[in-house]
Amino acid sequence: MYYKELVRQMYDIGLGSLPIIFLISIFLGAVTVTQFYYQMDGQLIPTSFIGYIVRDMMIIELAPTFSCLLLAGKVGSNMAAEIGGMRQKEHIDAMEIMGVNTSAFLVMPKVLAAILMIPLLVVVSAFVGIAGGYIASVPIGLFTHDDYVTGLRLFFNPHNVFIMFVKAATFAAILTSVSCYQGYFVKGGSIELGEASTRAVVYSVILILVADYIIALILT
Amino acid sequence: MIRAENIFKSFGENEVLKGIDFVFEESKTNLIIGRSGAGKTVLLKILVGLYPPTQGKVWYKDKELYSLTKKQLRHLRMEVGMLFQGNALFDSMTIEENIRFPMDMFTEMTYKEKNMRVDEVLERVSMSGINNRFPSEISGGMQKRVGIARSIVLNPKYLFCDEPNSGLDPKTSITIDELISTITDDNKMTTIINTHDMNSVMEIGEKICLLHEGKLAWQGNNEEVLKSENQELHNFIFASPFLQKLVDRVGAKNI
């Protein structure tokens, strides 16, 4: 029962979020390249450094943080609404009567699925963002293929990938647990459910940004 | 036998139940009646273990519900079935999966045995052949029957029904009442129904408790209802102007 729910959640969070993660990541990479090219124009910094900057920006910050902020909106609000709706339709009461530990059954598979799937989505986001940077620059002649690839190979530090995974897993735990909490303890009707869903997103976003800063302080 | 002993329940400043003492008799259809807001659902949820009372105790024979260990509570849960006001059927599951759910949680039965039991209870509520449909694909009356099927699938000793007739037409309401009453008799269950449907009161109320503003206002059975001089009961029964006119014309005893 719990395994089936875990698989369903992994599918929903992972595959369900893939298209939107793909889309935003392309533009994140594209905008980063374009703006850095603009900022560095006329300075004595080789253009190959843009590839290096995009790579590390995507890995350390943009892929984990932006993806999770987006997922707080998509996945978090969905979880709060789903659990809150179950509370209002007495599904949670029915489960309690049928001997289900509802907090474990409804919350744990979601948190676990997010912790497993969101880091994978973040990896995809990082790769797609870097590819997006390439697509936005090389074909239109901002700089050459060799410049970009050279930059990508510069000063690679595997510790940055570790930071990315720590951030992704932490943000996943935050956005799911906050959202599930808001849904689980919802009271009242549809207006309160809407408010709970909004709170889930707002609190998740704030906590993700605070955690982002704390992780940056500790790990860099 | 289930006994509510001096039950008080407050939500913040709002005191919903004010010292309820009542014995729900074994193998009978017990009714909790009262107007909307009288505290019926809260009392039912306290009896079933969903809301702990602010004060008071709930006894299942010699066991106090809110003093049980997790293991004892789980064992008691196996003996309890509940039909919710909105049915509480899980939207993402088929009818068969909904009914199988309590067996998945509580039993070690094989998949085949569970499905055989699903067929049995669906037949019992005259709903055979809808195993693979989803709750949204059947009518409200059918959902009630499926809800009943799910609540009796483990052969519970205690059946709780929260407003089983709400949202149903009068004819379907009567059918559901008859079904619950028959199942209660056949399985020798202790059934507790929360209702404000007068037909249910008169037809199946073997023991009735009337709640008024969170207090026990009257208790008795369906034969005593019309003979009672209790003002709150009178106000509850004859709330309908049509019934009041009928009583004025022919007298309560002749109805």
Side-chain angles (χ1 to χ4, degrees), chain A residues 58-71:
Chain A
M58 286 307 299
I59 290 175
I60 300 173
E61 184 60 25
L62 296 180
T65 310
F66 255 84
S67 299
C68 289
L69 291 178
L70 181 87
L71 291 172

Side-chain angles (χ1 to χ4, degrees), chain A residues 1-2 4 8 86 89-101 105, chain B residues 45 48 50 74 77 82 84-86 88-91 101-102 104-106 150:
Chain A
M1 191 68 77
Y2 288 73
K4 199 176 161 188
R8 187 177 80 85
M86 292 181 79
K89 288 159 80 179
E90 296 183 308
H91 289 182
I92 294 180
D93 287 346
M95 286 181 174
E96 295 270 358
I97 298 289
M98 289 185 264
V100 179
N101 178 345
F105 181 72
Chain B
K45 290 194 172 180
V48 84
L50 289 172
R74 185 173 164 78
R77 292 261 191 250
M82 183 158 180
F84 286 85
Q85 189 172 357
L89 297 175
F90 307 128
D91 309 317
F101 194 90
D104 290 337
M105 298 314 302
F106 285 122
R150 186 176 68 180

